[in-house]
Amino acid sequence: MKNPLCRRIPKELKDDFGKYIVIFLFMVITTGMVSGFLVAGESMKQTYDQSFDKYSVEDGHFALNSEASDDMKKAIEDEGVTLYDMPYYDLDMSIKKSDGKTDNTSADGESRTLRIFEVRHEVNKMCTMKGSLPDSDDELAIDRMFAENNDIEIGDELEVGGRDYKVCGYVALSDYSTMFQNNNDTMFDATIFGVAVVTGAEFDRLPENGREWSYAWKYNDGMPDDEKEEKKLADDLLKTVYTQAMMNGITVDTFIPRYQNQAINFTGEDIGSDTEMMKWFEYIVIVILAFIFAVTISNTLTKEASVIGTLRASGYTKWELLIHYILLPVIVTFVASIVGNILGYTCFKDMGAQLYYDSYSLTKYETIWNADAFVLTTVIPLIIMLVVNLLVVNNKLKLSPLRFLRHDLSRSRRKKAVKLPHWKFMTRFKTRVILQNIPGYVVMLIGIYFAQILMMFGLMLNPLLEHYQDDVLDNMLAAHQYVLDSQVETSVDSAETYCVKTLKTTGDIDDEIMVYGIHEDSRYFPRKLKDGDVLVSDGYADKYGLSDGDEIKLKENYGDDIYKFKLTGSVKYPSTLAIFMTEDDFRQTFGLDEGYFTGYFSDEELTDISGHVVSEITKDDLIKVSRQLKKSMGSMFYIVIAFSLLMFMLLVYLLTKLIVERNTISISMVKILGYDGREIGKLYLSSTTIMVAVVTVIDILLSYVSLKVIYRAMLTEMLSGWLPIYMAPWIFPLMFVLSFACYLVIALMQMKKIKKIPMDEALKNVE
C-alpha cells in the first residue's frame, strides 16, 4: 500500500514554498559560485601545467650586451642544450586616438612599455586568443591582458618606438603568463608593461642598436624533475656562458633558469592558493547551511506539532515520521546541488575563469571535471542535511504524542513569567515579546554572525590594500634602490652602499626573506645599527609571532647552508619580509670580502652607474603588490559583499518568519481584541527591530575578532609575504547601515504576513 504521507510532500512544499524557494536559490547560488571557481581554478592549473609541453616553454634564458657568434653558441650547446634566438626590444608605447592625439600614459599616469618579439614557432610558442597573428609589417599582435587593462581593441592604432602599428589580435605568450618586466621586480604590473609580436621582416627592420640579445635554451635530455639537479645543470651552464662571453668580449646581462623565472612560475604558484581561499569560503558556507537547515527543520516541527501528535496517536512510528520529515529538505538540497553544479560548469565557471584572466596572461583552457568541487558542493551539503535533520527530528520525536498535541515541545520546565516594572503597557508588551522569543534571538545572533564575517571581509580588502600602499610609501628606505652586477663607484655623495641576500624560511611555510647589510650610521635606515644587532621587519615579526631574543633559522634558496640569527628588535618596514644588520656583520655571516656591497640607496637618480644596474626599486615597484591585487581581485570584493547581504537577508527572513509563526496565536488574539495591523506590527516587529539592532552591533564586534584569526590563518597559507590586517573605521557603521536596510525590507514582508493571520487562529488552537 502506498504511504499516504507521501501525498503530503507536495502540499508541504506549496504551503511553505517561500521558505524552500529561498533556501533552494541560496544553495544554487552558493553551489554554483564555489563549484564554478573550483572548476575554473583546477582547469586553469592543469592548463598551465600542460602548457610547458604544449607550447615548448624554455628551460631558461640569458641576455648578452651584443650578439653571440655561431662558434660561441656552438660551444654553449656542447653543454647538452639547444639554443634559440629570442631577441626583443623594450619600446615606449602610446595609443593613437580618433582625434589624432596620442595617449602616452596609463590611467595611473605611468608611461607604458611594450616588449616586442618576432612571431615564435619553435620555443615559447604563442596562443592566439582573439583575432590573428600579424601578416603585414604594419600589424602587431598584443598581449590580451595588457590590451584589456589599457582599453586597446583589435583594429586600434598604436605608436610603438616611433613606428605606427595596427592591432591585429590578442595573444598569450607561454613564457609571459605574468607580466614581470624584470625578474627582480617585487610585483608585476600588466597595465604599464606588456608584450607583443610582429612579423620577422618587421622585427629585422627595427634599429639594431636598441635590440636586447636574448637566448633561450632547452636541455637535450629534458628538464630534471629534481630542483637541486636543475640548479646544478643551470650553474654548470652559467659557468660556460660566462666563460664564452669573456672570451668573446661580451657581457652577460642576465641569466635566468626556469626555476628562477617569475614571469613563468608566479602564475602556477598563485593559482593553487586561490583555490585554497575558495575552499575556506565553502567551509564557512557549509557551516551556515547547516545552521539554516537546523532552524528551518525546528520551525517545521514546531508549526506542525498538532499534525505530528495526531499521526503518532494514529499509529505511525517514529521512524516513518522521521523519514517523512527529512525527505523534503533532502530533495531540495539534492536538486539545488545538481542545478548549482550545472550552473557552476557553465556561467559561474566563466566568472571564475575571468578572475584568473584579469590577473594573468593565460592561454586558452579546457574545462576539466573536478571531483573535489563535486564532493564539496554536493556530497558534503547532502550529508550535512541528512545528519542535521536526523539529529533535530529524532530529538523532537522522542517527545510523547500528547505533548505534540499540546504544543509543549520545550524540554525545560515552565517558569513563572518575569515580573516587569510598572512601565507603560506598550513598553511592557514589547519587553514580554522579547523575553518570550529569546531562543529565536539567540539563533539570530549566531546566524547573522556568519553573514557579518563575509560582509566585513569583502568591505575591508580595498581599504586594507590602500592603507598598505600608503604605509609602504611612508616607510620606504630611499627613493631609488639599485642592485648592481658589479661593485662600481658613483659620484653622488648622498648615495649609500648596502648589501642584500635572499634566503628562505626553514619551516612549513616557504617564504623568501631579504637579508640587508646597512651602514651603522645610515642616513636612510630609520634606526641606528651597531654590530650584533639583528632587526626584523614588522611584517616578518607579525606573521611568525617573533619577539626580541628569538632565534630564527634561514636557508639558501637552492643550497644546504643554514644560517641562524638571534633577534634584537623589529623595525617598521612593510614592503617585504626582511632582516637588517650592519654591513660588517653581513659580510662576516656570508663570508664576503671587506668592502663588498650589492647596490646603492639614493634619493637622487644615479645616472653614472646605469650600465651596471641589474634592477632598480622605486616607489612604483613597491606599490605594485597592492595595485595589482586591487585590479585582479577588485571584482571579487563586490561579489563577496553582495553574497553576504543576500545571506543576511535570507537568515533574517527565516528567523523573523520563525518568530512570527511562533506568535501566530498571540497575534490572532490581539486582532480579536481590536488592534489593527499597524498597531500589531509595532507590538511585534518593533521588538524584533530592537533586537536586530542589538544583535547586529554584537555580531559586528564578534566578526572583527573572528576575522583577525581567520585572516591570519588564510593569509599564512596563501601569500608569500605579509599584508597586516587593517580595518577602516567607516566599515563598522557602514555594515550596520547595510544590515539594517536589508532588515527593513524583510520587516515589510513580515508585516504583510502578520496582516494575513486570521482572527479564528486563536480559537482553533486553544491548548
Side-chain angles (χ1 to χ4, degrees), residues 582-595:
T582 64
E583 277 187 313
D584 290 339
D585 281 350
F586 183 95
R587 297 177 185 124
Q588 184 177 354
T589 300
F590 298 108
L592 300 169
D593 296 334
E594 183 70 25

Side-chain angles (χ1 to χ4, degrees), residues 715-728:
L715 218 65
T716 300
E717 295 294 328
M718 285 178 51
L719 187 68
S720 178
W722 193 243
L723 288 172
I725 191 168
Y726 169 77
M727 197 70 62

Side-chain angles (χ1 to χ4, degrees), residues 561-615:
D561 293 338
I562 301 290
Y563 301 94
K564 297 180 181 179
F565 304 93
K566 188 173 183 179
L567 306 184
T568 60
S570 63
V571 64
K572 183 84 170 176
Y573 189 65
S575 62
T576 188
L577 305 183
I579 291 177
F580 301 92
M581 60 182 71
T582 64
E583 277 187 313
D584 290 339
D585 281 350
F586 183 95
R587 297 177 185 124
Q588 184 177 354
T589 300
F590 298 108
L592 300 169
D593 296 334
E594 183 70 25
Y596 170 87
F597 64 91
T598 308
Y600 287 102
F601 292 130
S602 177
D603 284 334
E604 299 179 42
E605 186 177 357
L606 306 182
T607 57
D608 55 348
I609 60 170
S610 57
H612 299 275
V613 175
V614 175
S615 67

